[in-house]
Structures are given as structure tokens and as C-alpha cells.
Amino acid sequence: MAVPGRVPPLAAAADTMADEVRRTLTDRPPWLPCKYFYDDRGSALFERITRLPEYYLTRTEEALLARIADDVIARVAPAELVELGSGAGRKVGLLLDAMARAGRRARLVLFDINSLFTDAAAGRIAARFPDVEIRGVTGDFTRDLGALGPGGSRLALFLASTIGNIHPDDVPRFLRRVASQLEPGDGLLVGVDLVKDAARLEAAYNDREGVTAEFNRNILRHLNDALGADFDVAAWEHVAFFDAERSWIEMRLRAGRDCRVRIPAADLALEFRAGDEISTEISCKYTRLSLGRMLRGTGLRLDRWYTDPEQLFALALLRREGARLRLA
Ligand code: AVJ
């Protein structure tokens, strides 16, 4: 079963966007890797999503992080913060503040798919924290983690429920790869959206203003711009629903009428019938128990589980175990 969010096999490291899109759109059912939401327009739309009244995730995580930052820094005592999928880089500032309060010098690595994000965030952070040594790495964190290089005393950050966009079957392997970039005792702070009432979850992905719908459709615009595709973007309807059995929100685009699409750069000509769907994202919702199950065999253990009073969102502090790790 092919769904978005799968970690590409290691051999796919050299895949281009055109290769990937050819593979996923000819899969049955067709899908697109959700990282392709984040061209410049999509990144700006995502920023708007984070401020929507229905999208509780960002503000809940930020408030929680502000509350626990000192505790996390005291436990891990890091010299380097590595933010995977750094986005706008707002939250890492809360941890840099905590490091400053603890009198710790900090290095910072920002790792994101869009260099616009890492550059803008690096600029903002440099202005606020002139003593922090900042490095930006552009890449796909499901396969380019090796670009991080050697570390030591690291606290990696994988916030915003981005882990939810990875297929659960692939999460342990992903975590093992992150663990391989950590030394025993190093930390990985993971932002986890929690299982809750379906109506609340679905509202967060079907906002009244329609920003999420625009964000979803923008993936087709990105294909038009980057690969010369000719999707009639307005013909595709936004669909988002909670699949309780799989415990994930799935987003799809549904063709409002029959359409033919050509994607010259991917050497593709596709036909969709009205009602056909392209799956664009899964966003998995966890519990403490279901996240704990993902840790088996990864070399990571759960050190602390922090949540907000309403139990909407959790920050899981994982620690690299002491024993040396063998990678498959
Ligand atoms: C923050 C990237 C994990 O899955 O909730 C927001 C992306 N998709 N609205 C999420 C997203 C639809 C988001 N991530």
C-alpha cells in the first residue's frame, strides 16, 4: 500500500523530483510526497496555517516548549542544537534562550528542504543570538542526514508533529537513522500531535478560511512551476479526514471533472476521471503508548513525556542509549 510520507529507499538518494513524481503518480492509488508542498508559496501558506484558529498544533507546542525548555536543556546539556525541518525557526529560539540562561554556549544547525527557510531563520536567529554559530543544511531529512557530519553533545529537534508525516512503518527506520547521528546520552525532542476527538482533528485540516485547501492544491502548482506540468489547479478539491483505524489524518486532492495532465519533465501523460484522488499527506496522531512502540530497536528510549494541560500535543524527549549501535 503506497501512501505519502514513506521514507524513500536508500537507493533513491539521487532521485530527482521528476523521478519521484513519475513513480508516485503512476503508483496505485496515486500519491505525492508531502515535502513538495513546500515551495516558496507553500511555505508561506503553511506559515498562515500555523496561525489559524482551528490549527491548535503550533501554538500548543510553542507554549509547551516555553514551559519545558529549561528542563530539557538541564537534562541533555547540549552544545549543539540540530533542527530537522526547521521551518521559520521560531521555536528553536526558546531553547537558545534556555541555553543562555544556563550559561551554555550554543551551536545551531538548521536542516530544511527549502533553503529559503534556513536562510531566513538563520538571519533572524543571528540577529537575536550573535554568539551562536549557525549552519544551514538544505536536504530531505528522510535520506540526507549524513550531511550533518560529526557532532557530539547534540540535541536534535523534530518538532511540529512532522513525525506524523512519515508512514508509521517507516518511523523506526527513520529514528534509527537519526540515532546514528547522535552519541550516547544525546537527545532528540519530538513534537507529537495526540489522538483526540475526530471533529477537533478534522477541523484543524479543514479550516473555514480555506487556507489548508489552498496549501493542498499548491502542490499541483509546484509541479506546474517546477516540472512544466499543466494541472488545472482549480479543478481539484481539497479532502481531509481522520482515519481512526490508522490513526492518521489523510489529505487528498479529488478531481472535480475528467482531466488530462501532461508533465513534460517527468515524461508523463496522465488521465484522471472525475472523482479520482491523489493522496498528498498523512499526518499520524499518536499516544504515549503508540509512540513508545516506534522506539523498539532504534537505540532511542523515552526519557520524558511532556504535554499541555488539555493533552492536545506532546513533546517526547528521547535519549540515545549507551550501547554502540549497528546500522543495517
Ligand atoms: C506541521 C508539517 C506536520 O501534518 O499538521 C498542516 C502540515 N498539513 N496542515 C501537519 C499540515 C496540513 C503539518 N506539519
Side-chain angles (χ1 to χ4, degrees):
M1 167 73 189
V3 288
R6 294 196 78 95
V7 177
L10 287 164
D15 258 16
T16 62
M17 179 177 182
D19 291 330
E20 256 186 305
V21 164
R22 188 184 316 106
R23 197 152 37 81
T24 61
L25 281 184
T26 56
D27 222 341
R28 247 141 239 274
W31 61 286
L32 286 167
C34 63
K35 66 182 169 189
Y36 293 126
F37 283 135
Y38 301 96
D39 64 350
D40 294 351
R41 202 175 23 229
S43 299
L45 283 166
F46 177 67
E47 276 303 299
R48 282 181 62 197
I49 288 175
T50 65
R51 293 190 293 269
L52 290 169
E54 297 94 337
Y55 197 78
Y56 58 85
L57 289 79
T58 311
R59 71 180 69 86
T60 308
E61 181 182 46
E62 221 169 303
L64 178 58
L65 186 57
R67 225 183 62 211
I68 67 158
D70 289 313
D71 191 54
V72 171
I73 294 304
R75 288 177 162 274
V76 181
E80 182 174 87
L81 302 180
V82 178
E83 191 169 25
L84 304 173
S86 56
R90 217 172 22 230
K91 286 169 238 175
V92 79
L94 295 169
L95 287 158
L96 290 171
D97 282 332
M99 285 182 77
R101 282 194 293 273
R104 304 193 63 84
R105 274 191 68 82
R107 295 191 311 270
L108 173 64
V109 182
L110 300 170
F111 195 117
D112 202 279
I113 188 83
N114 188 335
S115 63
L116 201 82
F117 261 160
T118 51
D119 293 350
R124 255 194 311 274
I125 294 163
R128 251 189 78 201
F129 301 94
D131 296 335
V132 175
E133 189 190 305
I134 306 172
R135 193 155 62 91
V137 180
T138 308
D140 174 343
F141 51 66
T142 63
R143 62 186 194 196
D144 307 326
L145 278 180
L148 281 177
S153 297
R154 263 183 181 149
L155 172 60
L157 311 170
F158 195 45
L159 302 175
S161 170
T162 307
I163 194 170
N165 298 144
I166 301 176
H167 192 287
D169 292 350
D170 297 325
V171 166
R173 181 162 51 127
F174 170 72
L175 291 175
R176 212 156 57 228
R177 287 186 195 175
V178 177
S180 75
Q181 303 297 319
L182 301 176
E183 301 289 333
D186 283 2
L188 169 61
L189 189 65
V190 184
V192 186
D193 193 20
L194 298 177
V195 174
K196 60 183 64 64
D197 175 60
R200 180 95 194 246
L201 284 169
E202 288 183 343
Y205 294 83
N206 290 285
D207 64 280
R208 297 189 53 167
E209 239 189 280
V211 183
T212 307
E214 265 319 294
F215 172 76
N216 195 6
R217 277 191 284 269
N218 180 67
I219 201 168
L220 302 181
R221 238 176 234 142
H222 186 193
L223 265 50
N224 286 353
D225 294 347
L227 303 175
D230 60 356
F231 279 100
D232 176 1
V233 175
W236 294 80
E237 194 191 318
H238 167 71
V239 177
F241 61 96
F242 184 56
D243 180 336
E245 212 160 291
R246 312 229 211 195
S247 196
W248 70 41
I249 287 275
E250 185 171 346
M251 293 211 309
R252 297 180 180 172
L253 290 165
R254 181 183 295 155
R257 54 166 178 76
D258 296 356
C259 7
R260 281 167 191 279
V261 180
R262 304 182 56 86
I263 311 183
D267 201 22
L268 268 185
L270 301 167
E271 280 192 40
F272 295 95
R273 313 297 305 266
D276 282 355
E277 293 177 334
I278 300 173
S279 188
T280 52
E281 186 182 62
I282 56 167
S283 190
C284 299
K285 309 306 170 187
Y286 286 97
T287 63
R288 181 178 177 148
L289 199 74
S290 64
L291 188 82
R293 279 192 224 110
M294 297 289 153
L295 303 183
R296 273 192 223 135
T298 63
L300 296 165
R301 67 178 169 82
L302 182 63
D303 183 17
R304 270 281 178 281
W305 178 259
Y306 308 97
T307 69
D308 61 291
E310 277 186 275
Q311 314 249 44
L312 297 174
F313 200 92
L315 284 163
L317 179 58
L318 312 181
R319 306 296 292 277
R320 167 77 196 270
E321 282 165 345
R324 280 216 69 75
L325 197 85
R326 278 272 195 83
L327 279 175

